[in-house]
Amino acid sequence: MMSTSFLHPCLRRMLGDRGGNFGIMTAIVLPVLFGAAGMAIQVGDILLSKQQLQEAADSAALATATALANGTIQTSQAEAFARDFVAGQMANYMQSSVDIKSTTGVDVRTTTSGKSTSYQVTVSPSYDLAVNPLMQAVGFSTQHLSTSGTTVSGHSQTQGSISMYLALDKSGSMGEATATVNADDPTESYTYDCNGHYNKKGKWVYDTCTGSRAKYYTKIEALKIAAGNLFGQLASADPNAEYARTGAVSYDIKEYTPSSLAWGTAGVSSYVNALQANGGTNSSGAMNTAYSSLTAKNAAGNDAEDAAHKQKTGQMPKKYIVFMTDGDNNNDSSNGRSYDTLTKATCDTAKSKGIEIYTIAFMAPAGGQALLHYCASDDTHYFQAEKMEDLLAAFKAIGAKASAQLTRLTN
């Protein structure tokens, strides 16, 4: 049996030895130190992520409000636009598995007063940020981040005034078919010779058969549709016919009675819809009529168009000529070149007076293209339409430019 007198000194020495205290304290404190270090690093990450999220929210709110004010997007598109913007801004800062679009709230409030509209957009994104392993070691898994950004943007709508005159080719070639099938009447019946045989008198004859084939728009039909779209754009921008005056003249080898300048688009629309294709081509008289109509003097000796707009709206109008042909001038002693010279002279004079000239060469040969390219105010005012779809696009682009003058947004 071991003597207790031997145990007592050993026990006293063990209790009095402090050599193992550091190891014990380290074992106790080390997790705390790791947690504190992880917390310090994570706090920095959280602050940075929060800043990135705030910048994304602010930028998305500003971009969305601006797009609404400029008419780039509609109110119905604002929510998706803002969410996509946030996702794009945060793409480099989050894991690909995080779907921030679904956790981004968007609130759009529209206020209208007279012709002024303002948009208040609030974007509130949020997501769960994965914490670092040191934080996970002490029991944390994610940190929820959320923020919000609000921007107000708007515009006031002011009306501009325009006078537009169309000079339109209705020559015989405008009755030719395009390559576009008529959407309203896609097929047509036709007859053809078939079943060749000898008759009772021994003469070779054919029966008459009936078939069906695709029906294509003629060029004059395409012109009516394209011009109608233009008139629709103007009417939409000026529904009360207070700011736009329009007129038109048509020509083949001769000039036809024009549709005089008048408020709105009803008169010019009826005029264009009644056009029939026939005859040769001479644009000189029609272009002179377009220019003269836009610059005619009234009884007081003042510019009649300027005076008409001034009296109705108090504004000076922007003046346009829309010149369209599908061919070369022809049928004079120099095969139409004298008509070209006269047309160019009118174009030069009109441009010198500040009139903008848009030209459309519709399936036109090189001569017609060259004339219209010369007459256009610049390259952006010249359209070379090789098919019906190009013609529609050209008139639509002209309508958009004119409509922008009619309805101007001031942010």
Side-chain angles (χ1 to χ4, degrees):
M1 183 174 181
M2 184 176 292
S3 170
T4 57
S5 61
F6 173 76
L7 289 173
H8 288 165
C10 291
L11 185 59
R12 283 197 300 270
R13 285 196 301 273
M14 183 181 71
L15 293 174
D17 187 357
R18 300 181 181 273
N21 287 357
F22 179 77
I24 296 171
M25 291 296 294
T26 298
I28 296 172
V29 173
L30 191 58
V32 178
L33 292 175
F34 281 153
M39 180 68 76
I41 296 171
Q42 191 64 59
V43 167
D45 289 344
I46 290 172
L47 292 176
L48 178 59
S49 297
K50 182 81 170 182
Q51 179 183 349
Q52 293 164 345
L53 192 63
Q54 184 65 58
E55 291 174 353
D58 293 340
S59 298
L62 176 60
T64 305
T66 301
L68 286 167
N70 290 340
T72 306
I73 62 172
Q74 302 299 314
T75 306
S76 60
Q77 301 169 300
E79 185 173 328
F81 181 90
R83 287 177 170 174
D84 288 342
F85 198 97
V86 169
Q89 291 287 99
M90 294 298 294
N92 294 328
Y93 305 126
M94 300 183 308
Q95 296 175 332
S96 58
S97 59
V98 177
D99 180 17
I100 197 169
K101 289 185 185 181
S102 64
T103 56
T104 296
V106 181
D107 179 66
V108 178
R109 300 187 182 186
T110 304
T111 302
T112 302
S113 177
K115 291 187 176 181
S116 297
T117 304
S118 64
Y119 301 92
Q120 177 179 295
V121 179
T122 300
V123 180
S124 305
S126 65
Y127 73 102
D128 291 329
L129 174 69
V131 300
N132 59 41
L134 294 176
M135 285 287 289
Q136 294 176 11
V138 293
F140 294 93
S141 59
T142 60
Q143 174 64 44
H144 185 71
L145 299 180
S146 63
T147 190
S148 182
T150 300
T151 298
V152 177
S153 184
H155 67 263
S156 60
Q157 178 178 303
T158 61
Q159 294 290 138
S161 294
I162 70 166
S163 289
M164 177 182 287
Y165 211 95
L166 287 75
L168 304 175
D169 183 353
K170 59 172 287 297
S171 59
S173 57
M174 287 293 290
E176 297 172 357
T178 68
T180 302
V181 175
N182 188 315
D184 297 321
D185 190 13
T187 59
E188 62 180 357
S189 298
Y190 72 103
T191 58
Y192 60 94
D193 292 338
C194 61
N195 304 328
H197 60 279
Y198 290 104
N199 62 15
K200 294 179 179 179
K201 297 180 179 181
K203 183 179 180 180
W204 185 258
V205 296
Y206 294 92
D207 294 335
T208 298
C209 293
T210 301
S212 179
R213 63 190 176 190
K215 184 178 181 181
Y216 299 93
Y217 286 111
T218 63
K219 287 194 272 187
I220 196 75
E221 290 172 335
L223 172 61
K224 293 176 183 181
I225 294 172
N229 291 342
L230 165 61
F231 301 146
Q233 288 173 276
L234 297 181
S236 178
D238 181 30
N240 297 319
E242 298 174 309
Y243 295 90
R245 286 169 59 81
T246 58
V249 61
S250 60
Y251 67 92
D252 45 48
I253 196 60
K254 64 179 182 179
E255 176 189 353
Y256 288 82
T257 303
S259 171
S260 300
L261 282 160
W263 294 106
T265 60
V268 73
S269 180
S270 296
Y271 180 85
V272 172
N273 284 333
L275 296 180
Q276 299 295 322
N278 61 271
T281 307
N282 174 10
S283 60
S284 60
M287 280 299 288
N288 184 65
T289 293
Y291 166 71
S292 299
S293 297
L294 290 171
T295 57
K297 302 296 183 181
N298 58 19
N302 300 317
D303 186 295
E305 279 304 294
D306 290 353
H309 283 279
K310 193 74 174 176
Q311 181 179 10
K312 196 174 186 72
T313 67
Q315 299 181 6
M316 296 289 283
K318 183 68 178 176
K319 297 179 179 180
Y320 302 97
I321 292 175
V322 179
F323 176 23
M324 172 261 146
T325 187
D326 78 325
D328 286 334
N329 284 324
N330 52 49
N331 287 4
D332 71 345
S333 59
S334 58
N335 198 30
R337 299 299 71 80
S338 67
Y339 300 150
D340 286 355
T341 300
L342 292 170
T343 300
K344 289 179 179 179
T346 300
C347 292
D348 290 339
T349 303
K351 287 187 281 189
S352 73
K353 299 294 186 182
I355 296 174
E356 286 190 31
I357 303 179
Y358 286 98
T359 62
I360 307 111
F362 183 27
M363 301 173 68
Q369 293 176 19
L371 174 62
L372 267 66
H373 199 276
Y374 179 92
C375 280
S377 291
D378 55 39
D379 287 346
T380 66
H381 286 65
Y382 170 73
F383 298 89
Q384 187 169 323
E386 296 300 331
K387 54 184 183 294
M388 178 176 172
E389 290 75 13
D390 297 337
L391 183 75
L392 298 178
F395 272 87
K396 182 178 180 181
I398 296 169
K401 295 282 185 67
S403 296
Q405 173 68 21
L406 282 171
T407 305
R408 298 175 298 201
L409 301 181
T410 305
N411 290 324

